[in-house]
């Protein structure tokens, strides 16, 4: 179930991420920084203890508010108080910026994709390389602060010996109407498979964010701006390579007598052999965003403008693209260089959005137009004497216009909202390829319903790719052009709090036409290249959640059941059942100075043919040769909150060896084994 279904829970403030660059990840490097930070804060803590009660009450979580751009575009200048709860602190899927259920490569920071169905609402040109989106900040979702005193946030998570996260952010109001701050985050992950030393780095990520917010004294002008830069580096291993021993019949082998792989024998972790030993993916992201509004006629008419510049650079390097005997190793083809794979892509986008908005107690509206200028340049190394070593391929430059709006009406428990966006075309012959999304929803008390219609074009990567191992062309000028994907979706939801019980249910029916997907069964032999379904597919999803709060005992269970995305669907695969359960006991100690939680968390997904992964194109693709078994993963945790300090201790995957010694997150990518995790979250309000 997507986290969007958990709107009743308080939202944790988004966190920032970061990358250090040398080639090897040293998780211990953050320890000196954390120690210095702690040492530097000790005098402040000792001084805070002698403050009088009036000062303690004056500054705290209740005086620090978070505002986001979406609040500004609804003329909400108050925001929400920061999250100080313990519930999400030990849950690893909340450690990054996308908290939906994900399929990854078994380690934190590796390529990932959303596990459950969600329709696309982004129109126009898009790069289409999103496997590292989970770890990157979105400039439109940056938290801004309204603080009466300086606010500092610090967190440190360690999963011995594999994962580590460090974050430090600071914000303060320089004047009554001006607030500024920064955030720095760095995380790393060490290899667990095919490595002699578990301190050998696999992932490094760094992120720096600077943000400012300004409100004019008279309250007519408001502005939010941020500069966001991220660097991500992930060593690609290509999955575990089963070994067949031929020179010694008594030596252990990973194959049975029929030639099938014995999967339970592939969980020796450090002793396993992987397909890629010198391959790395790099991704750089830079973004500059400004959103500002000016009130023209009270709250009924406000002009607003958003300017957003983005740059995304992807580079894939493999220093050993062929095996010893000179044939392709792991890849379908060797097209340009047998010595070095060096494929690069740089996407740049500048958007200007301008419009008007207004709201009263009952009615709210927004109208806008957006102009997008985008360009893509790609390069690929070649060994051919007549070509340069790094050949620049055909660039893409385009300008697109979008218009859209939203309107809502609310009266007591009844509310109606409509919204939409369209990319108009001036040519009559192109009306059939018009891109749009239209959505309408209605709510009456605990019941709500939504209708969504959308038509969107394929991504730039789906349309055309040129590299050392893949080549395809599905543009309108090609012999196999792709058409727009259309989705018609209906969703109903009911949620109700009944005393100590919370009940929520949601049903979704979607009709998907012309779905573009990546497949292992490509006609040209390029497994992992894109195709388009010629027939429509229907998808049905049912989500249910039950939460019980019985005194100091809490049980929170949720599950999503999906029909129509199994092995019979060649383009879309989703586990039939995905569920999560948390059971814990919470209570106060030491005269309510400490709040603690002790419990178990279980994640479950049913058997399914999970997507495989192509590192050179950064794409997950449908396969039919590997089935992931039913996967229950149980964690035991202890969390505590002491004033402004939150800590947790967790033993992850305590059910390892029951019944097997591991499980796969992606075909031939083993998930991390049992490990101890701990973390600290510290918030300062002065």
């Amino acid at each position: 179930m997507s986290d969007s279904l958990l709107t009743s829970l308080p939202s944790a403030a988004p966190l920032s991420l970061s990358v250090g660059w040398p080639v090897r990840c040293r998780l211990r490097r953050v320890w000196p920084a954390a120690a210095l930070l702690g040492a530097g804060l000790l005098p402040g803590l000792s001084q805070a203890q002698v403050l009088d009660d009036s000062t303690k009450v004056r500054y705290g979580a209740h005086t620090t508010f978070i505002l986001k751009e979406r609040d500004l575009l609804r003329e909400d200048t108050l925001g929400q108080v920061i999250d100080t709860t313990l519930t999400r602190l030990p849950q690893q899927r909340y450690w990054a910026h996308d908290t939906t259920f994900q399929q990854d490569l078994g380690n934190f920071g590796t390529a990932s994709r959303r596990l459950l169905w969600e329709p696309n609402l982004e129109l126009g040109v898009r790069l289409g390389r999103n496997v590292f989106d989970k770890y990157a900040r979105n400039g439109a979702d940056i938290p801004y602060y309204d603080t009466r005193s300086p606010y500092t946030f610090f967190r440190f998570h360690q999963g011995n010996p594999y994962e580590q996260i460090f974050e430090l952010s600071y914000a303060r109001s320089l004047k009554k109407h001006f607030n500024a701050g920064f955030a720095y985050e760095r995380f790393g992950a060490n290899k667990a498979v095919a490595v002699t030393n578990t301190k050998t780095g696999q992932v490094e990520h760094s992120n720096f964010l600077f943000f400012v917010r300004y409100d004019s004294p008279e309250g007519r002008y408001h502005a939010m701006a941020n500069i966001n830069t991220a660097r991500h580096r992930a060593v690609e291993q290509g999955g575990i390579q089963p070994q067949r021993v031929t020179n010694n019949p008594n030596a252990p082998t990973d194959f049975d007598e029929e030639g099938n792989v014995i999967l339970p024998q592939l969980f020796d972790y450090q002793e396993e052999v992987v397909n890629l030993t010198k391959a790395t993916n790099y991704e750089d992201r830079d973004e500059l965003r400004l959103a500002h509004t000016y009130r023209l006629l009270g709250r009924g008419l406000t002009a607003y403008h958003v300017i957003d510049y983005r740059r995304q650079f992807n580079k894939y390097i493999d220093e050993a693209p062929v095996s010893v005997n000179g044939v392709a190793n792991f890849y379908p083809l060797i097209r340009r260089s047998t010595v070095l794979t060096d494929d690069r892509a740089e996407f740049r986008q500048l958007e200007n959005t301008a419009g008007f908005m207004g709201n009263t107690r009952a009615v709210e509206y927004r109208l806008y137009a957006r102009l997008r200028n985008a360009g893509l340049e790609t390069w690929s190394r070649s060994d051919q004497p007549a070509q340069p070593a790094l050949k620049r391929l055909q660039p893409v430059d385009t300008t697109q216009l979008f218009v859209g709006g939203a309107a809502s009406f609310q009266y007591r428990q009844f509310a109606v909202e409509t919204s939409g966006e369209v990319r108009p075309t001036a040519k009559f012959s192109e009306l059939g390829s018009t891109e749009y999304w239209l959505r309408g929803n209605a709510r009456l008390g605990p019941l709500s319903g939504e209708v969504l219609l959308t038509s969107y074009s394929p991504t730039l990567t789906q349309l055309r790719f040129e590299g050392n191992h893949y080549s395809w062309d599905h543009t309108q000028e090609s012999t196999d052009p792709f058409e727009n994907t259309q989705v018609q979706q209906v969703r109903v939801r009911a949620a109700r709090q009944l005393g100590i019980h919370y009940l929520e249910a949601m049903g979704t029916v979607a009709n998907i036409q012309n779905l573009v997907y990546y497949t292992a069964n490509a006609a040209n032999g390029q497994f992992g290249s894109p195709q388009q379904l010629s027939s429509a597919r229907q998808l049905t999803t049912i989500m249910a959640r039950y939460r019980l709060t019985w005194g100091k005992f809490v049980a929170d269970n949720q599950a999503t059941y999906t029909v129509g995305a199994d092995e019979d669907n060649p383009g879309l695969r989703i586990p039939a059942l995905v569920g999560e359960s948390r059971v814990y006991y919470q209570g106060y100690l030491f005269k309510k100075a400490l709040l603690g939680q002790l419990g178990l968390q279980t994640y479950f997904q049913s058997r399914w043919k999970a997507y495989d992964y192509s590192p050179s194109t950064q794409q997950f693709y449908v396969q039919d040769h590997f089935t992931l078994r039913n996967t229950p993963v149980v964690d035991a945790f202890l969390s505590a909150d002491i004033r402004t300090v939150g800590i947790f201790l967790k033993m992850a995957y305590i059910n390892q060896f029951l019944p097997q010694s591991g499980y796969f997150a992606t075909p031939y990518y083993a998930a991390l084994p049992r490990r101890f995790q701990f973390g600290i979250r510290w918030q300062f309000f002065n």
Side-chain angles (χ1 to χ4, degrees), residues 3 15 17 86-102 104 106-110 134-135 155 157-160 162-165 185 187-189 580 582 601 603 633 635 637 648 650-653 663 671-673 675-678:
D3 230 58
L15 309 170
L17 294 172
L86 283 176
T87 305
R88 296 181 176 181
L89 185 61
Q91 299 184 61
Q92 187 164 349
R93 71 184 178 100
Y94 292 100
W95 295 359
H97 298 295
D98 187 343
T99 60
T100 57
F101 290 117
Q102 302 261 334
D104 58 25
N107 205 347
F108 187 71
T110 56
K134 174 181 177 180
Y135 316 105
R155 68 164 177 156
H157 297 169
Q158 177 77 52
N160 284 337
Y162 305 111
E163 318 117 315
Q164 187 182 81
I165 297 177
E185 186 173 24
F187 69 71
E580 186 177 57
R582 285 174 54 82
Q601 174 177 302
Y603 170 81
V633 180
D635 303 334
F637 66 91
F648 75 88
K650 184 172 78 171
M651 184 62 70
Y653 193 21
Y663 68 96
L672 292 178
R675 61 206 181 277
F676 175 71
Q677 298 175 326
F678 68 92

Side-chain angles (χ1 to χ4, degrees), residues 491-504:
R491 173 173 291 174
V492 294
R493 177 179 178 268
R496 192 73 172 181
Q497 183 74 45
L498 300 173
I500 63 174
H501 309 278
Y502 174 77
L503 302 172
E504 181 182 3

Side-chain angles (χ1 to χ4, degrees), residues 178-449:
F178 185 80
N179 187 281
F182 72 90
Y184 173 77
E185 186 173 24
R186 180 186 185 276
F187 69 71
N190 286 337
K191 292 181 180 179
V193 177
V195 63
T196 58
N197 187 346
T198 55
K199 296 179 182 179
T200 304
Q202 182 172 7
V203 175
E204 292 188 23
H205 179 101
S206 65
N207 171 254
F208 180 79
L209 168 70
F210 176 75
F211 54 88
V212 295
R213 185 180 65 85
Y214 173 75
D215 299 330
S216 64
E218 71 281 4
R220 300 186 67 176
Y221 179 76
H222 304 273
M224 295 177 170
N226 68 79
I227 300 174
N228 180 31
T229 179
R231 301 291 180 264
H232 194 96
R233 171 187 172 274
V235 174
E236 302 288 1
Q237 295 186 295
I240 295 172
Q241 184 182 87
Q243 298 298 296
R244 186 192 301 273
V245 180
T246 57
N247 56 356
N248 183 2
N250 297 321
T253 178
D254 295 330
F255 294 85
D256 59 19
E257 296 180 354
E258 288 76 26
N260 301 315
V261 179
I262 307 174
L263 295 179
Q265 295 188 184
L266 301 183
F267 296 113
D268 292 327
Y269 292 97
Q270 293 180 236
E271 299 178 7
E272 297 293 346
V273 177
V274 293
N275 288 295
L276 301 177
T277 58
K278 295 183 178 181
T280 307
N281 255 312
Y282 301 86
E283 182 175 278
D284 299 347
R285 298 194 185 197
D286 302 293
E287 185 172 8
L288 173 62
R289 189 176 181 92
L290 166 66
H292 50 154
T293 67
Y294 186 80
R295 187 172 296 172
L296 300 174
L297 296 174
R299 298 178 62 90
L301 183 61
T302 299
Y304 77 94
H305 173 240
V306 179
I307 183 171
D308 182 82
Y309 170 78
R310 301 182 187 182
R311 170 187 173 269
Q312 180 175 332
F313 175 77
N314 290 82
K315 179 173 68 173
Y316 178 72
I317 299 290
D318 189 350
E319 299 176 3
V322 297
S323 60
V324 178
N325 56 7
V327 299
N329 176 32
F330 180 75
Y331 307 105
L333 299 170
I334 301 292
R335 302 183 60 250
R336 296 179 177 276
S337 174
T338 59
V339 179
L340 174 67
T341 296
D342 186 351
D343 295 339
R344 309 182 184 188
E346 184 175 45
F347 179 74
R348 296 176 182 268
Q349 174 182 292
L350 176 63
E351 283 190 342
N352 275 278
T353 304
F356 297 94
M357 62 182 181
N359 66 78
T360 65
R361 291 184 178 180
V363 179
E364 180 178 340
Y365 74 92
R366 180 155 55 98
L367 301 172
Y368 63 87
R370 177 186 300 119
L371 185 66
R372 176 184 301 167
N373 297 281
L376 172 65
E377 292 188 81
T378 56
W379 301 265
S380 183
R381 178 186 171 89
S382 175
D383 289 344
Q384 301 178 20
Q387 296 183 358
L390 195 62
K391 182 180 179 182
R392 180 173 179 265
L393 306 176
Q394 184 177 357
V396 176
D397 292 289
T398 185
T399 300
Q400 295 179 334
L401 175 67
F402 306 85
V403 293
S408 63
F409 169 79
Q410 182 172 352
Y411 178 72
R412 295 183 179 179
Q413 293 188 339
F414 177 72
V416 176
E417 180 179 353
T418 60
S419 57
E421 183 175 283
V422 62
R423 184 173 77 89
T425 176
K427 298 181 180 179
F428 182 79
S429 59
E430 298 179 355
L431 288 178
S433 60
T434 300
E435 296 183 63
Y436 62 86
W437 64 264
L438 303 171
R439 178 164 56 189
N441 56 61
R443 176 176 55 84
L444 178 60
L447 303 176
S448 63

